[in-house]
């Protein structure tokens, strides 16, 4: 029962890009804060809160316009709005001259850092955190993180949980919160202060939740793999307590985050591409492959993803950015993504379908753990539904090009035989590498062309009959969210341990 509600929630959240959801979340926090201030629960006035937010937005927008027109690079409107909203929630509201000068400096520095403080076109530090650190040391004006107060705590928590669910960074956020609280309790014990009071104040009256849900998870400046994300969270969590200091320099949330950004920069590949379209290929009736020539060489693992930014007018709620798994193999000279198109699709998909070799497209944020294991003898089972087959095309093409034989079984489910993508690669792998390839067709009455095809969905019975020694295999599951959840549940019920199941999914809303 609970799973059904989660599926409905995921369906609603997936209609929004993570950036749009974050914008609505931050605006909602400001609206709630204005409501509390109207009743005297927050000591800033409604005019101060709203006026400061509007002023920061204007500053950030103007500075962004100057840079993108001067440098002739695409402007990212969502990023500018997010930066302005974050600053409005961590800098004390006020319309006095000193406040306006502080906000002007912070907004200007934050936006400028996105263009100037970069490596390979990617900014190194969280822009808002960098701005308030610089103003603190250069102008002695610090962020108060006023959003961390008891009245706002529940709103920050509820919205943050929704955001965490949408971006699938649960381990990252929970690791940060757990380590922060543990470290805070330890420092309080050493200082002979009341531990429970200190923890209560940290949860209800500090930057902890806002930093964990909003600042820490910023994709441009955090690692792209789960292992590094957890290490990043542990580091920032351990340094979160304000009791930590080096001489006269005490830890603050923004300084803590910048230290974490340095760690992320070291362990995470900084890739920023401007790929040029070479060709578009129809691989199924509603799926198209886009093949690009990258403007520079870079390394990635088969099965990883990148974030593709496609500036376009009349952007809908899904935004201008989208994550796609690279269907290409690192052994190929081109990049390839497979995209499924739906009737009445998003503005992004409509623009993508019409791009040509002159279209401006950016690719960043390489990441993902849905990759081949180091153990080449490990029995692997690839389960795919629909366009969720793209990471397997990448992996199997890599195995073909390197002539690397592994014990692999592919179970690929589609509506009809015409909906099977990349069959040429999979059949070549069957013939050359001995990969066990199986296709299942779920549409009732779908014609089965030959013995390679079976009717119906992928079931535990099919897995047991197809996969030798399935209880000792590692399962990869990729496809629509409902399918991934159902198969993961079936595998667990069949005795497969959780650490032998790797899941990925592709939203049906696009």
């Amino acid at each position: 029962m609970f799973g059904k509600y989660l599926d409905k929630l995921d369906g609603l959240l997936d209609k929004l890009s993570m950036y749009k959801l974050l914008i609505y979340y931050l605006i909602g926090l400001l609206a709630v804060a204005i409501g509390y201030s109207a009743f005297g629960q927050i000591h800033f006035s409604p005019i101060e809160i709203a006026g400061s937010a509007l002023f920061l937005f204007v500053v950030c927008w103007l500075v962004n316009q100057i840079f993108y027109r001067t440098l002739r690079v695409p402007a990212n409107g969502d990023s500018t709005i997010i930066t302005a909203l974050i600053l409005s929630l961590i800098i004390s509201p006020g319309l006095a001259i000193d406040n306006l000068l502080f906000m002007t400096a912070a907004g200007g520095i934050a936006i400028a850092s996105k263009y100037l403080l970069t490596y390979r076109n990617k900014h190194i530090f969280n822009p808002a955190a960098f701005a308030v650190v610089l103003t603190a040391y250069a102008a002695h004006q610090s962020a108060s993180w006023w959003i961390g107060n008891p009245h706002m705590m529940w709103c920050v928590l509820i919205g943050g949980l929704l955001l965490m669910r949408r971006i699938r960074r649960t381990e990252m956020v929970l690791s940060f919160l757990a380590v922060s609280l543990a470290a805070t309790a330890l420092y309080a014990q050493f200082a002979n202060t009341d531990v429970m009071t200190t923890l209560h104040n940290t949860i209800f009256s500090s930057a902890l939740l806002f930093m964990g849900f909003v600042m820490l998870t910023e994709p441009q400046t955090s690692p792209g793999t789960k292992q590094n994300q957890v290490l990043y969270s542990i580091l920032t969590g351990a340094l979160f307590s304000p009791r930590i200091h080096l001489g006269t320099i005490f830890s603050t949330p923004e300084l803590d985050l910048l230290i974490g950004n340095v760690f992320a920069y070291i362990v995470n590949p900084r890739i920023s591409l401007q790929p040029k379209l070479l060709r578009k290929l129809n691989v199924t009736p509603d799926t198209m492959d886009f093949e690009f020539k990258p403007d520079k060489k870079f390394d990635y693992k088969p099965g990883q993803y990148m974030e593709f930014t496609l500036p376009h007018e009349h952007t809908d709620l899904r935004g201008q950015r989208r994550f796609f798994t690279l269907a290409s193999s690192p052994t190929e000279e081109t990049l390839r993504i497979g995209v499924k198109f739906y009737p009445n699709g998003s503005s992004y998909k409509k623009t993508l379908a019409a791009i040509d070799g002159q279209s401006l497209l950016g690719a960043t944020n390489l990441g993902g753990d849905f990759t081949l294991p180091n153990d080449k003898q490990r029995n692997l089972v690839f389960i795919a539904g629909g366009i969720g087959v793209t990471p397997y095309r990448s992996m199997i093409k890599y195995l073909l090009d390197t002539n690397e034989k592994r014990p692999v079984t592919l179970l690929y489910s589609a509506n009809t035989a015409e909906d099977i993508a990349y069959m040429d690669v999979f059949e070549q792998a069957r013939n050359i590498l001995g990969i066990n390839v199986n296709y299942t067709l779920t549409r009732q009455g779908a014609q089965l062309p030959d013995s390679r095809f079976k009717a119906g969905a992928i079931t535990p019975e099919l897995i047991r009959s197809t996969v030798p020694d399935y209880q000792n295999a590692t399962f990869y599951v990729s496809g629509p969210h409902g399918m991934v959840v159902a198969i993961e549940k079936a595998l667990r019920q069949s005795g497969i341990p959780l650490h032998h199941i790797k899941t990925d999914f592709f939203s049906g809303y696009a």
Side-chain angles (χ1 to χ4, degrees), residues 209-479:
L209 295 180
F210 189 78
M211 179 171 164
F213 287 119
V214 177
M215 307 286 280
L216 191 78
T217 56
E218 202 259 338
Q220 294 280 346
T221 55
S222 60
T225 61
K226 286 186 178 180
Q227 179 179 349
N228 287 334
Q229 287 171 3
V230 171
L231 292 175
Y232 170 68
S233 298
I234 291 173
L235 173 63
T236 51
L239 298 177
F240 179 79
S241 173
R243 295 180 183 272
I244 296 177
H245 66 95
L246 181 62
T248 59
I249 300 176
F250 283 79
S251 177
T252 62
E254 58 269 26
L255 185 58
D256 177 19
L257 189 60
L258 294 194
I259 295 172
N261 292 160
V262 173
F263 169 81
Y265 175 80
I266 294 172
V267 301
N268 200 51
R270 295 287 159 174
I271 305 298
S272 180
L273 307 176
Q274 291 186 325
K276 296 297 181 183
L277 179 71
L278 294 178
R279 58 176 178 163
K280 295 182 280 190
L281 304 169
N282 290 312
V283 293
T284 75
D286 57 7
T287 302
M288 184 179 293
D289 258 24
F290 295 80
E291 192 171 1
F292 301 97
K293 180 181 179 180
D295 59 335
K296 61 176 70 74
K297 291 184 178 181
F298 73 106
D299 295 323
Y300 62 97
K301 295 180 181 180
Q304 289 194 303
Y305 59 76
M306 293 190 78
E307 184 181 42
F308 288 78
T309 301
L310 181 60
H312 59 279
E313 296 181 353
H314 310 298
T315 306
D316 61 16
L317 295 180
R318 293 283 290 165
Q320 297 185 352
R321 309 182 196 178
R322 200 68 50 87
F323 285 95
F324 292 109
T325 293
L326 300 177
S328 52
S329 162
T331 55
E332 297 177 289
E333 294 184 356
T334 60
L335 287 182
R336 181 191 294 255
I337 59 173
V339 183
K340 184 169 184 177
F341 290 87
Y342 298 84
N344 302 317
S346 66
S347 63
Y348 184 103
K349 289 284 187 76
K350 291 176 181 177
T351 305
L352 182 63
I355 66 170
D356 56 28
Q358 304 303 313
S359 298
L360 188 61
L361 186 74
T364 58
N365 291 335
L366 174 69
D369 299 284
F370 202 75
T371 56
L372 292 167
N374 293 328
D375 183 1
K376 296 182 180 180
Q377 305 304 315
R378 184 70 187 171
N379 190 15
L380 306 178
V381 182
F382 295 162
I383 299 177
I387 195 57
V389 77
T390 51
Y392 305 132
R393 194 270 179 195
S394 175
M395 296 178 194
I396 292 176
K397 178 62 174 169
Y398 174 81
L399 296 178
L400 275 168
D401 290 346
T402 59
N403 195 30
E404 183 179 309
K405 292 188 177 181
R406 293 196 185 211
V408 175
T409 297
L410 172 65
L411 294 169
Y412 181 4
S413 176
N415 289 329
T416 67
E418 290 75 20
D419 295 314
I420 298 290
Y422 313 124
M423 182 181 268
D424 57 335
V425 174
F426 301 145
E427 290 303 309
Q428 186 181 9
R430 183 204 298 270
N431 296 328
I432 296 177
L433 300 179
I435 288 179
N436 183 9
V437 181
N438 305 268
Y439 308 107
T440 69
L441 306 182
T442 57
R443 181 169 295 172
Q444 188 173 4
Q447 184 177 0
L448 305 179
D450 54 54
S451 60
R452 296 171 299 177
F453 297 83
K454 296 179 175 64
I458 297 173
T459 62
E461 293 74 24
L462 177 62
I463 294 172
R464 286 193 290 268
S465 65
T466 305
V467 182
D469 196 20
Y470 74 93
Q471 288 187 321
N472 293 316
T474 296
F475 288 82
Y476 289 66
V477 189
S478 176

Side-chain angles (χ1 to χ4, degrees), residues 3 7 10 165 477 480-490 503 505:
D7 287 343
D10 289 334
R165 180 75 183 177
V477 189
H481 181 58
M483 171 201 152
V484 171
V485 171
I487 290 182
E488 181 181 13
K489 181 179 178 181
T503 60
F505 77 92

Side-chain angles (χ1 to χ4, degrees), residues 67-241:
F67 274 98
Y68 105 82
R69 292 182 183 276
T70 302
L71 301 178
R72 297 181 180 180
V73 295
N76 193 312
D78 286 352
S79 178
T80 302
I81 295 172
I82 289 169
T83 299
L85 290 171
I86 290 174
L87 288 173
S88 69
L89 290 164
I90 67 175
I91 294 176
S92 295
L95 300 179
I97 294 298
D98 286 348
N99 291 89
L100 296 180
L101 290 175
F102 179 20
M103 288 187 283
T104 301
I109 292 170
I111 300 300
S113 72
K114 297 184 181 186
Y115 292 94
L116 301 180
L117 200 61
T118 64
Y119 178 70
R120 293 183 178 179
N121 297 321
K122 285 200 67 176
H123 50 269
I124 301 169
F125 297 114
N126 181 287
F130 178 78
V132 293
V133 166
L134 194 60
T135 54
Y137 287 99
H140 305 291
Q141 290 184 292
S142 302
S144 65
W145 294 80
W146 66 273
I147 185 61
N149 68 75
H151 299 293
M152 297 298 299
M153 178 266 184
W154 295 108
C155 299
V156 174
L157 177 62
I158 293 171
L161 290 173
L162 293 176
L163 181 64
M164 182 181 72
R165 180 75 183 177
R166 172 65 181 85
I167 63 179
R168 269 80 187 179
R169 293 201 170 187
T170 303
E171 296 91 342
M172 183 179 183
V173 175
L174 295 184
S175 297
F176 168 75
L177 296 178
V179 173
S180 297
L181 293 175
T184 298
L186 185 62
Y187 298 142
Q189 186 71 38
F190 286 152
N192 294 319
T193 58
D194 185 74
V195 172
M196 296 308 298
T197 300
T198 301
L199 289 176
H200 180 276
N201 292 338
T202 301
I203 295 171
F204 287 88
S205 302
S206 81
L208 178 71
L209 295 180
F210 189 78
M211 179 171 164
F213 287 119
V214 177
M215 307 286 280
L216 191 78
T217 56
E218 202 259 338
Q220 294 280 346
T221 55
S222 60
T225 61
K226 286 186 178 180
Q227 179 179 349
N228 287 334
Q229 287 171 3
V230 171
L231 292 175
Y232 170 68
S233 298
I234 291 173
L235 173 63
T236 51
L239 298 177
F240 179 79
S241 173

